[in-house]
């Protein structure tokens, strides 16, 4: 019933930008928080950014000032605007739609590669 789909990943040069999208269905989207995670090979999964149902945002220190999380409840979609990308941003990015720890849904991930 519940589906979460990330899109927008790709290959970019250092300093470039990408906008990721997270589309969800089967839930009342406006009632859920959105959490972006990333996972690079050989590393632990990292929380990147959060936006609450009321619009409050939080960011990992490593992306502050470069990434912006937003949401459009009318489109049941959240976004992660990524600017000034660095090679260390390379990872699979996952979107989680969560009301609480027992009601969270994950997408399949989208690959972001930053390389010259």
């Amino acid at each position: 019933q519940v589906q979460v789909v990330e899109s927008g990943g790709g290959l970019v040069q250092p300093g470039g930008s990408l906008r990721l999208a997270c589309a969800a269905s089967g839930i009342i989207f406006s009632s859920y928080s959105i959490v972006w995670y990333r996972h690079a090979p050989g590393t632990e999964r990292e929380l990147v950014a959060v936006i609450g149902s009321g619009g409050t945002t939080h960011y990992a220190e490593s992306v502050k000032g470069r990434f912006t999380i937003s949401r459009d409840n009318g489109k049941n979609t959240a976004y992660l605007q990524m600017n000034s990308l660095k090679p260390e941003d390379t990872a699979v990015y996952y979107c989680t739609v969560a009301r609480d720890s027992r009601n969270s849904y994950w997408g399949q991930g989208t690959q972001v590669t930053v390389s010259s």
Side-chain angles (χ1 to χ4, degrees), residues 54-86:
T56 300
T57 59
H58 301 276
Y59 298 93
E61 187 66 30
S62 59
V63 307
K64 283 182 179 178
R66 300 188 298 120
F67 290 11
T68 302
I69 188 170
S70 62
R71 64 192 300 159
D72 185 338
N73 290 334
K75 296 182 178 180
N76 282 13
T77 302
Y79 304 94
L80 185 67
Q81 178 66 46
M82 306 186 296
N83 298 326
S84 302
L85 284 162
K86 304 174 181 179

Side-chain angles (χ1 to χ4, degrees), residues 32-45:
Y32 285 72
S33 296
I34 309 298
V35 185
W36 285 97
Y37 293 89
R38 65 187 181 188
H39 192 189
T43 71
E44 297 294 325
R45 185 184 65 197

